[in-house]
Structures are given as structure tokens and as C-alpha cells.
Amino acid sequence: MKKIEGVDRILKFLKISFDAKSKMDYKRLEILYNSKLLLGDNEKINYVLGKDFLNLLNKSKENELIEFNSEFGYSITQKGIDFLEENKT
């Protein structure tokens, strides 16, 4: 699968949540995505907010990398885990 700009950060946070046997709501995921967590010292944050962040989540869902449950929130799929492994970002 072709790499989608920004999706890897979403997947990394959801993989951490998955490892903790948890799911993440939209607002928490957006806040973490726009934080310095998981960034190297030389990387800049490219803030993605509101509609643009929602579009990024929708692309991830369309590609079956994540799933959404209205009761529990977002979680990574096995396909998303495999994508992270293949792209080692």
C-alpha cells in the first residue's frame, strides 16, 4: 500500500493504545497527533486540526488501517499494524 502522509503518526499512537488493550477517542488522538510525542529532535510538527484531521482519519478508515466504534473510539487494525511494520517510520 502506498504511504499516506500523516497516517503513520496516527497508527503509532493507536498501536500504543492497542498494546495497552485500549482505544482512543477523537479529541485525545488529535491532541497527541499535534504534540511532540514520537517525534525526533529535528522533526517539526505539522499541525493537522479539525476537518483536515478528520479527513486523515477517514483515509485511514477507507484503507482499513483503523476502525471506529462510536462507543469506544478508534483502534488500529491488523492491516494497520502490518502497514507500520512494512513502512518502519
Side-chain angles (χ1 to χ4, degrees):
M1 171 185 292
K2 181 182 160 200
K3 188 173 175 183
I4 304 167
E5 187 67 34
V7 167
D8 55 329
R9 279 183 56 75
I10 289 173
L11 294 177
K12 285 178 184 178
F13 285 115
L14 289 178
K15 175 70 168 74
I16 292 167
S17 182
F18 173 83
D19 290 343
K21 299 185 181 357
S22 184
K23 297 179 189 279
M24 198 172 296
D25 66 27
Y26 169 85
K27 197 61 190 168
R28 181 171 294 150
L29 187 55
E30 184 182 37
I31 289 167
L32 287 171
Y33 184 91
N34 288 303
S35 72
K36 289 189 180 243
L37 289 173
L38 302 184
L39 287 178
D41 291 336
N42 298 325
E43 293 180 78
K44 284 186 161 185
I45 296 176
N46 292 322
Y47 293 99
V48 180
L49 301 167
K51 185 178 177 186
D52 292 330
F53 186 71
L54 196 52
N55 287 337
L56 196 53
L57 288 177
N58 286 331
K59 282 183 191 175
S60 301
K61 286 193 300 186
E62 288 169 7
N63 286 289
E64 300 175 350
L65 301 173
I66 66 173
E67 57 190 12
F68 176 74
N69 175 308
S70 60
E71 187 176 346
F72 300 110
Y74 290 93
S75 60
I76 192 168
T77 63
Q78 184 60 50
K79 189 173 178 180
I81 293 169
D82 295 341
F83 179 85
L84 275 179
E85 283 297 312
E86 290 169 13
N87 291 284
K88 291 279 185 192
T89 55

